[in-house]
Amino acid sequence: HVLLLVLGGTPPGTERAAVMDEHTGLIPSASYGAVDAPSEATDVHCGGDEARIAMAQSEREKEGHAADYGGDDDRWKVEGRRAACVSRSMGLAGVMVIMGAVGYMKPDLVSQAHDALDNMREASTVEVVESSSLSFECSNEYPVPGSLQFYENWTHVVEPWRNTSLTAVGALHGSILEWEVTYTREGDDSVKTLPVYSNGAESTAGSSDQGTTHQSSFVAPHAGQWYDITLTEHMADGKVAVTTGRALGKYVRREIRSLTEEDRMRYFDALTQIHSLGLEEGQAKYGTKFANQEVFLAKHLAQDTLTQCNFFHGCAGFLTGHAGFQLQFEQSLQAIDPSIAAPYWDPSVDDTVYGKSWHEESPMVTNEWFGPQQGNPDNNYILDEGRFAYTVIPTDATAAEHNAYGRLTQTYNNDPAQYVWRSASVCGLPSEARLPGCTALKGMLEKDTLDDFREKMETDWHGTLHPSMGGAVDCPYSFTDLLTPHPEWSELLEFVSMLTEVVWDVAHATGDMVCPSVCSDETPFEECSCSCPSVDVEALNRSTAYTFLDEMGVLDRYYGCQRGPRFMNYTEPDWDPDFVSPVSMAVSDQGGKEQDRIKGMYLFQLNETHVLSEEDQEELLVWLARAACHPGRVSPFMTPLAATNDPLFWVAHASFERIWAAKRLLPDFKDSFDQVRGGVQFNTPTPTLSRQPSPIQGRVRQPPSPTPNPVTTSPSSP
């Protein structure tokens, strides 16, 4: 967890930080701070946020776009206490914490201060000097983002539509402090001046010594905008000292647990709107930047059918594609409430703190947040309580990809459910899997090429989250069929279950699995399920089952996972010295030749020293091949292409950019990180991405290591 405290920064594209999209201010979007948990301190709220949001929405309508709030500064002429809300008093653990609570002066005192300033300006003997001892700091209710140290010239960062406290450092006791905050928009040479609340206040630094005093505050209306800040100190002896600096407007994405309660509720309220409003209704209310969940669902899901290739998964597009999704989603949130920066969920925190008990103890799975890991078993596992109870799964039989019931989910998943649901089991096997933790995180950061880094993130981090929080039920082939006679297989079967959805997706993608195209809502799931008509599942044996799974690339997928070398081996089996790999045989039959191919086959094992017997290998392989042809009902979050149906999707996927940014920014990793995309797997379509049924077609895969480095500790141990 100590490592996680320093991970942060803007998403990739740091080199473009000085040239930003003026309309969104979000390219690159946010700098991410340390994961700090709030104390039990009570928030102080003065009720100014409603006015601030109303002003932002009014300004959006005035300028014609949703994510950029600038223009006429007359919008600031509202009651000062409401427009400049007192910063929340949050005690936050961590370093570089600047509290910055704003003080308010009585109107008569403010008037006296301004009169004094006017008198000073009129005096002809005032001496104005540039002061090296006078400086200022910008802060709000959150700690300064730890990643700020990695960005050159980003001395001060201010967050749009959040009260920023201005702190004078080095001012003398009794001096009058005058602040000026100005900015110039691109394409508009006019200098705009922002109101500064409690301006012209008297310094409260201790005694007559120089010190630190919290004085004034302002609200920045734009992201991606530089603000020029001037602090003038009018000293009691008539001298005037001036210091200047620049602050950059940036949205800051934080771990969802480190948000104040008010900010977290703002996020949940906006997320509810995205999942409940239709697109036309939402855009009429919030502007054209609003996008509802169906927009994201169609984009995340439909490419599989439209292009015969889902370039958001299984290739280099995984990183950039999900960064793009997150940016568009964040802009939709900001169309509703411009103060929101999309938070992320760091599951390694849950793994470290709760271990296997995360599904009972983590706040992520409470009704007040995202709902339980398992819905109501008596109501088809639907989430029927809490904030996101009865979240609708859209139905549209005209969409590019949908199932036989018209539900917007993956085609092979003929699940008739109309509402989001989750199960804590996969095909009868109760999930005791831990969330991706420190081992998975270290495994990603240790990869020195973009290809390897992406693959490790997609399998060991992203790939573990989906089945852990999703589940599958009503499977024709249940894991209990194996667990009952082999209780000692429990950990091995847990490993196999985590990729069950991948097996189904691959079988459908290669054309081996065929699904009904239309089923009425009255048709039971059992009568609308998929199968493999070209495979005689009842006649499968060790050899034919192995060949079927190996040709689809399923065994490669299993072995390539974080725990693959623990539960699988690649070797020449003792009982079959004449064994020839089906891949080698097919390549040879087509006149090809494999180079540097190791003679051997995949074997399942209970651990690094206990390989399953020939009979047990056959039992597991035959069961897996049969199960590959007969999927159960898969929850939205497990699918994973339809996972945007589940409100949990966004925080779960928001951590990808953060880890990628850490790899690019942190001194321990960036110098050795080859960010150039390359490698055969990124330039050549794989069978798992093709919709064309084809056996092997001369596919040659890279040989695994004959002496793999097994994971000897829990994959999630800190």
Side-chain angles (χ1 to χ4, degrees), residues 330-404:
E330 187 170 52
Q331 290 175 346
S332 184
L333 291 172
Q334 290 162 356
I336 300 169
D337 182 340
S339 68
I340 295 176
Y344 61 88
W345 171 32
D346 185 348
S348 68
V349 174
D350 302 82
D351 181 68
T352 301
V353 176
Y354 308 117
K356 288 188 175 182
S357 301
W358 65 268
H359 53 85
E360 299 171 350
E361 302 179 25
S362 172
M364 297 296 297
V365 289
T366 59
N367 283 337
E368 292 74 25
W369 287 28
F370 293 98
Q373 181 200 21
Q374 176 163 290
N376 185 354
D378 298 325
N379 192 14
N380 290 317
Y381 297 94
I382 291 172
L383 300 182
D384 57 7
E385 293 182 347
R387 178 183 299 277
F388 295 107
Y390 291 102
T391 296
V392 173
I393 297 175
T395 298
D396 183 0
T398 67
E401 181 152 348
H402 57 83
N403 70 8

Side-chain angles (χ1 to χ4, degrees), residues 32 75 89 105 151 245 253 272 283 303-304 375 410 423 436 448 452 469 472 485 494 496 535 537 615 636 714:
Y32 313 149
R75 69 190 183 282
S89 176
M105 303 178 67
Y151 295 93
R253 295 174 179 171
T272 300
Q283 291 190 340
Q303 293 299 332
D304 222 17
Q410 289 183 248
S423 170
D448 289 332
D452 292 341
M469 283 297 298
E494 178 82 41
V496 173
V535 178
V537 295
E615 293 74 17
S714 169

Side-chain angles (χ1 to χ4, degrees), residues 213-398:
T213 177
H214 299 286
Q215 286 296 320
S216 305
S217 66
F218 75 101
V219 177
H222 301 283
Q225 172 70 53
W226 285 102
Y227 297 89
D228 295 301
I229 301 175
T230 301
L231 168 60
T232 304
E233 179 189 5
H234 299 269
M235 290 171 260
D237 60 3
K239 294 181 180 180
V240 177
V242 178
T243 187
T244 61
R246 305 192 86 196
L248 179 61
K250 276 286 190 178
Y251 283 104
V252 179
R253 295 174 179 171
R254 296 179 169 88
E255 215 277 342
I256 189 167
R257 279 166 286 213
S258 71
L259 297 180
T260 65
E261 182 66 17
E262 180 183 345
D263 283 348
R264 192 161 44 244
M265 290 307 106
R266 286 185 176 281
Y267 171 73
F268 283 140
D269 290 345
L271 183 58
T272 300
Q273 295 286 293
I274 288 175
H275 274 270
S276 60
L277 292 180
L279 180 61
E280 186 175 342
E281 180 185 3
Q283 291 190 340
K285 188 173 183 179
Y286 298 117
T288 56
K289 284 288 185 178
F290 173 85
N292 68 348
Q293 99 81 9
E294 195 166 336
V295 170
F296 299 111
L297 173 62
K299 187 178 297 186
H300 196 253
L301 175 66
Q303 293 299 332
D304 222 17
T305 295
L306 292 176
T307 66
Q308 307 287 304
C309 174
N310 184 342
F311 45 74
F312 298 133
H313 299 84
C315 59
F318 173 81
L319 291 171
T320 52
H322 284 87
F325 277 117
Q326 198 68 29
L327 177 59
Q328 186 181 9
F329 168 71
E330 187 170 52
Q331 290 175 346
S332 184
L333 291 172
Q334 290 162 356
I336 300 169
D337 182 340
S339 68
I340 295 176
Y344 61 88
W345 171 32
D346 185 348
S348 68
V349 174
D350 302 82
D351 181 68
T352 301
V353 176
Y354 308 117
K356 288 188 175 182
S357 301
W358 65 268
H359 53 85
E360 299 171 350
E361 302 179 25
S362 172
M364 297 296 297
V365 289
T366 59
N367 283 337
E368 292 74 25
W369 287 28
F370 293 98
Q373 181 200 21
Q374 176 163 290
N376 185 354
D378 298 325
N379 192 14
N380 290 317
Y381 297 94
I382 291 172
L383 300 182
D384 57 7
E385 293 182 347
R387 178 183 299 277
F388 295 107
Y390 291 102
T391 296
V392 173
I393 297 175
T395 298
D396 183 0
T398 67

